[in-house]
Structures are given as structure tokens and as C-alpha cells.
Amino acid sequence: MALRPLLTDETIQARILEMGTRITADYPTSNPLYLICILKGACYFLADLSRAIHREVILDFMGISSYGKGKTSSGEVRITKDLDISIEGADVLIVEDIIDSGVTLSYLTRLLQQRKPKSVRIATLLDKPERRLRPVDVAYVGFRIPDEFVVGYGLDYAEKYRNLRDLCILDPD
Ligand code: PRP
């Protein structure tokens, strides 16, 4: 396997600062903004994005596992770790590392809406629009990327490479 950098650490960090500035401006009220990190890949993005947002935030985490992901439009989604807190009446921002088929996020958005938040939006670092099977309304996108297998900055291959600072394309040998 060979790694080819697609987005450097510097490029990623600069874009996250822009996203944080925009999100801060879009939520001018004094209510806390609930940032919901989707495990595991989004953990680095949550850490950096939350510190680029200059207002009060509350952090929580959700675990999701999908079957048939990216292969069929009827991919099943299962919650492996639910939120610890109530989001009723809250402004919620789902923080994702990547949107691919859209199966995970379309399910999750509907699920969280049932808990009666004030608003739900999505922030994703990466978007692969070519792969979409389900429509997803994404408010904040860091980078639109081509349909390549990427690792690093939280994304894995068989649980490896998550701690790379750069986002890299993983080429088979
Ligand atoms: C990735 C990503 C999303 C999902 C997107 O998670 O973090 O949750 O896949 O794919 P979709 O748009 O096709 O539904 P993954 O299942 O790889 O889990 P991980 O973050 O724990 O590696």
C-alpha cells in the first residue's frame, strides 16, 4: 500500500479555521451549540473545529455502524453508542469526517429530528458527491474530493492510519 498526500495538515487546518469563523457567525445567539461527533473518524475534526468556533459549545458523541455502506441504497444503520445528553430545543451541529453514500447521515438526521431539537445541521470535512445514494442537506463542507480511497486525519483502512496529519490517498501496490 502506498500513501499519496491529497490534503496537507496546513491546508486542512486553514480550511477548518474558515469553517469555524463561518459557524460562529451563523449562530449568534447565546444558547450553546451542541456539536455531535460521529465516531470514530470525526474525532480529530471535532477537536479542531470546536476550537475554531468562538462561542459556547457542548460536545457529545454518537457511534453508528452501517452495513452495505456505499453499495446499496438500503444500507442498514445501527446505533452503537447513543448521546449522553438531551438535544430537545437545542441547536445541533452533526460533525462528520466524510459523507459518501449519504446513508448514515440521512438516517441520523431523521433520528435526531425526532428528539425535537431547535435545529439540526451537518458539518463535514470531506464530501464525495459522486458516491451519493441518498440526498443529504449539508450546511458546511470542508473539501469536495474525488472518489478515491482516503485515509488519515481520522479516516482509516482496517483501523490503521487515523493518526496521520495529512489526508492521503491509499493506493494498492
Ligand atoms: C464513515 C463516516 C461516516 C460514514 C459515511 O464512517 O465517518 O459515518 O462512513 O458513509 P456513508 O455516507 O456512505 O453512509 P465509518 O463507517 O467508516 O466509521 P469510522 O468513522 O468509525 O471509521
Side-chain angles (χ1 to χ4, degrees):
M1 299 279 194
L3 295 168
R4 206 158 28 103
L6 179 66
L7 299 170
T8 65
D9 179 33
E10 292 75 18
T11 304
I12 293 169
Q13 294 302 332
R15 180 67 182 130
I16 291 173
L17 289 182
E18 289 175 0
M19 294 175 82
T21 301
R22 165 94 190 282
I23 291 167
T24 306
D26 285 356
Y27 291 92
T29 65
S30 58
N31 311 328
L33 176 62
Y34 286 55
L35 301 180
I36 308 298
C37 173
I38 310 306
L39 297 169
K40 303 174 190 169
C43 64
Y44 296 94
F45 183 42
L46 174 81
D48 290 334
L49 182 67
S50 61
R51 290 175 295 177
I53 295 174
H54 299 292
R55 69 177 327 285
E56 191 182 334
V57 297
I58 287 178
L59 310 183
D60 204 353
F61 298 83
M62 224 168 163
I64 305 235
S65 126
S66 11
Y67 302 104
K69 183 165 66 80
K71 296 190 186 99
T72 91
S73 59
S74 59
E76 264 181 67
V77 177
R78 188 169 61 91
I79 294 182
T80 55
K81 189 226 166 283
D82 206 340
L83 297 176
D84 294 330
I85 51 176
S86 165
I87 56 166
E88 191 172 340
D91 284 313
V92 170
L93 186 60
I94 300 171
V95 178
E96 257 295 17
D97 51 347
I98 188 164
I99 304 181
D100 195 334
S101 68
V103 168
T104 307
L105 263 294
S106 70
Y107 170 85
L108 187 64
T109 308
R110 268 182 286 120
L111 179 89
L112 295 183
Q113 288 286 9
Q114 290 167 8
R115 300 183 185 184
K116 304 196 171 18
K118 184 172 164 217
S119 67
V120 179
R121 287 185 187 161
I122 296 168
T124 188
L125 181 69
L126 307 169
D127 186 15
K128 278 186 183 175
E130 286 170 55
R131 302 259 304 172
R132 202 71 93 248
L133 296 173
R134 300 265 179 91
V136 184
D137 187 12
V138 190
Y140 307 100
V141 177
F143 301 93
R144 293 204 163 80
I145 60 167
D147 185 14
E148 302 268 13
F149 195 92
V150 286
V151 296
Y153 198 74
L155 287 91
D156 73 308
Y157 171 68
E159 297 299 329
K160 289 196 296 183
Y161 307 115
R162 291 194 196 272
N163 61 333
L164 299 178
R165 286 188 171 271
D166 297 339
L167 184 84
C168 299
I169 295 172
L170 188 64
D171 290 320
D173 286 329

